[in-house]
């Protein structure tokens, strides 16, 4: 079973982004978005006091705003600047070979788990669960892990600074690219849209299509604003 995942921590800025989207034409009066307790959202049941039966502070994007958002998104990056203002934070647990491709894109901030600290940790052994690998290569992975584990134990026993440094370098040199690394990501819808359309048919299907693209599609209004942009003339 795959151990790769992307977990959404927070999505923020949809409301101010859509407000700013209307600044160029001073068309704020056409906005029909609002919190669930402020507008007549479809599909909600009201209680005796007229309150929505779902989360009252849920922000609902109205048809007018969504139509403009889609048209701007379809028009190109110079027109859909509002997407840059919708911020996303996520925990991303992916192998190093995936990160080498993802790092070609721009992000606000990435806080990573230290590979070396995790690899040679004094209380945590190196196991197959630390890697994303094909079952056909399990025997090879076990051999590499045994070697890494030997280096780890030597590192933990050593009190010599230079020797410990050499052991760190040895471990890094033989560490497979399939080693999983967790990073906390800060990005935005504009960058995710760019990545999605460039990677939706990538040959690393499990990593990019099954994990990354499916995660993007789970973000609020991402499909509407960044994927489903076919708008009638």
């Amino acid at each position: 079973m795959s151990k790769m995942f992307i977990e959404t921590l927070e999505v923020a800025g949809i409301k101010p982004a859509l407000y700013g989207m209307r600044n160029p034409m001073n068309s704020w009066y056409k906005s029909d978005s609002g919190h669930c307790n402020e507008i007549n959202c479809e599909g909600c049941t009201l209680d005796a006091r007229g309150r929505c039966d779902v989360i009252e502070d849920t922000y609902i994007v109205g048809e007018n705003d969504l139509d403009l958002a889609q048209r701007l998104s379809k028009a190109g990056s110079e027109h859909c600047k509002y997407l840059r203002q919708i911020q996303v934070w996520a925990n991303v647990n992916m192998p190093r070979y995936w990160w080498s491709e993802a790092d070609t894109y721009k992000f606000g901030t990435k806080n990573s788990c230290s590979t070396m600290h995790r690899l040679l940790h004094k209380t945590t052994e190196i196991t197959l669960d630390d890697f994303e690998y094909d079952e056909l290569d399990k025997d090879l992975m076990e051999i590499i892990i045994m070697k890494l584990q030997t280096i780890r134990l030597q590192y933990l026993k050593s009190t010599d600074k230079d020797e410990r440094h050499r052991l760190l370098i040895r471990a890094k040199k033989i560490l497979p690219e399939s080693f999983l690394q967790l990073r906390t990501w800060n990005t935005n819808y504009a960058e995710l849209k760019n990545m999605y359309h460039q990677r939706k048919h990538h040959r690393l299907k499990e990593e990019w299509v099954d994990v990354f693209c499916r995660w993007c599609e789970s973000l609020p209004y991402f499909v509407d604003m960044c994927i489903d942009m076919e708008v009638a003339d």
Side-chain angles (χ1 to χ4, degrees):
M1 179 180 294
S2 174
K3 297 168 285 293
M4 300 181 292
F5 67 82
I6 303 180
E7 172 192 22
T8 304
L9 298 176
E10 186 174 341
V11 177
I14 293 179
K15 180 179 180 179
L18 295 187
Y19 183 92
M21 171 186 74
R22 291 193 171 278
N23 286 355
M25 301 300 292
N26 294 358
S27 63
W28 311 287
Y29 66 94
K30 294 183 179 181
S31 178
D32 58 349
S33 301
H35 291 284
C36 201
N37 60 340
E38 298 172 338
I39 61 175
N40 295 320
C41 50
E42 297 180 2
C44 296
T45 302
L46 303 182
D47 63 18
R49 296 175 59 186
R51 296 176 303 186
C52 180
D53 64 345
V54 298
I55 302 174
E56 288 193 11
D57 63 355
T58 298
Y59 193 74
I60 306 298
V61 177
E63 292 184 4
N64 292 344
D65 286 337
L66 190 56
D67 175 71
L68 177 58
Q70 288 177 324
R71 285 188 281 115
L72 291 174
S73 185
K74 187 178 181 181
S77 59
E78 69 274 22
H79 298 285
C80 61
K81 292 181 285 187
Y82 75 93
L83 290 176
R84 303 175 200 168
Q85 296 181 319
I86 303 177
Q87 297 293 305
V88 181
W89 290 263
N91 279 337
V92 184
N93 193 51
M94 299 294 282
R96 285 155 58 93
Y97 63 82
W98 184 87
W99 280 116
S100 67
E101 295 188 3
D103 283 342
T104 62
Y105 298 92
K106 296 179 181 179
F107 302 97
T109 305
K110 294 170 291 186
N111 286 326
S112 307
C113 291
S114 171
T115 298
M116 288 298 100
H117 289 169
R118 178 183 167 198
L119 190 63
L120 302 182
H121 196 274
K122 63 181 179 180
T123 61
T124 307
E125 293 188 359
I126 305 165
T127 70
L128 285 169
D129 288 338
D130 294 318
F131 300 86
E132 183 69 25
Y133 61 92
D134 193 296
E135 195 65 25
L136 294 174
D137 299 321
K138 184 177 180 180
D139 292 346
L140 175 60
M141 292 300 301
E142 288 175 339
I143 294 172
I144 297 174
I145 289 171
M146 286 178 60
K147 186 62 177 179
L148 286 169
Q149 183 67 5
T150 299
I151 294 174
R152 170 181 169 270
L153 294 175
Q154 291 173 343
Y155 174 86
L156 295 176
K157 291 179 181 179
S158 177
T159 57
D160 182 87
K161 182 178 179 180
D162 291 337
E163 182 185 14
R164 285 167 66 88
H165 177 72
R166 287 194 296 270
L167 290 167
L168 277 171
I169 299 302
R170 284 182 61 196
K172 189 170 183 177
K173 285 181 176 180
I174 66 172
L175 182 65
E177 285 293 285
S178 58
F179 186 71
L180 291 161
Q181 184 179 48
L182 177 70
R183 301 185 187 182
T184 298
W185 232 2
N186 170 228
T187 184
N188 61 73
Y189 272 30
E191 189 60 29
L192 291 177
K193 174 190 173 186
N194 180 40
M195 294 176 69
Y196 181 95
H197 287 286
Q198 289 189 14
R199 301 285 172 165
K200 62 184 177 181
H201 299 302
H202 199 273
R203 59 188 175 184
L204 289 178
K205 181 180 181 298
E206 185 177 5
E207 294 84 349
W208 282 110
V209 182
D210 297 343
V211 176
F212 174 78
C213 289
R214 296 295 85 80
W215 168 72
C216 286
E217 293 166 4
S218 74
L219 298 171
Y221 295 104
F222 186 87
V223 172
D224 303 289
M225 297 178 182
C226 302
I227 302 175
D228 185 14
M229 299 176 293
E230 293 301 321
V231 181
D233 295 331

